Amino acid sequence: MPSRRLLGSFENVKRKVCSHPYFGGETIKDPGQKARVHNGNEFPRSLKKEVGVSMSEYIIQARITRAKDMLRSPDVKISSIAASVGYTHFSHFAKMFRRIVGMSPHEYRNHFLQR
């Protein structure tokens, strides 16, 4: 069972990821360090136990969730959405989106808009 300090850190990181899915290039260990967890391996390992996925996967899922919300607006370019959630290369964004959602961002937008 993670300590109270780590549980508080999880909540802090979850809030940051959910409100700002792009950490601006921080490494996996940085969120734990920002939450005042001194052992850089302790935080990611405990987070994985708590939420069931690695820190990097958690961030990817949060970015894609935010992108899905933004794709509901037909006025915003998909490449702009990719950049706004932290992807500098559109191809990587499209690959991660397809892996998580099961379709391309363009297919997702078209599917959503047809509803």
Side-chain angles (χ1 to χ4, degrees):
M1 175 88 186
S3 69
R4 285 182 179 264
R5 179 181 65 142
L6 282 177
L7 287 175
S9 298
F10 294 149
E11 293 308 313
N12 186 30
V13 170
K14 286 179 190 179
R15 269 194 307 278
K16 284 183 180 183
V17 169
C18 291
S19 64
H20 302 287
Y22 181 48
F23 280 119
E26 293 181 38
T27 66
I28 298 301
K29 293 180 183 179
D30 285 342
Q33 290 167 350
K34 285 191 171 202
R36 293 183 179 82
V37 176
H38 299 292
N39 180 345
N41 293 327
E42 178 184 9
F43 185 80
R45 193 172 38 247
S46 296
L47 182 71
K48 185 169 183 170
K49 279 184 180 179
E50 178 72 17
V51 298
V53 296
S54 69
M55 184 69 170
S56 58
E57 185 64 21
Y58 189 83
I59 291 170
I60 290 167
Q61 289 176 6
R63 287 176 170 178
I64 299 304
T65 298
R66 176 76 177 124
K68 286 169 56 180
D69 291 341
M70 296 174 76
L71 283 165
R72 295 177 181 172
S73 175
D75 302 332
V76 183
K77 291 182 179 182
I78 297 174
S79 59
S80 296
I81 292 170
S84 73
V85 297
Y87 288 93
T88 54
H89 300 287
F90 180 80
S91 60
H92 187 62
F93 166 72
K95 181 180 176 181
M96 292 296 103
F97 193 96
R98 183 177 292 277
R99 182 173 66 84
I100 300 292
V101 179
M103 62 181 77
S104 73
H106 184 74
E107 291 168 334
Y108 180 85
R109 175 177 268 172
N110 287 342
H111 178 76
F112 181 80
L113 294 177
Q114 289 175 1
R115 290 179 151 188

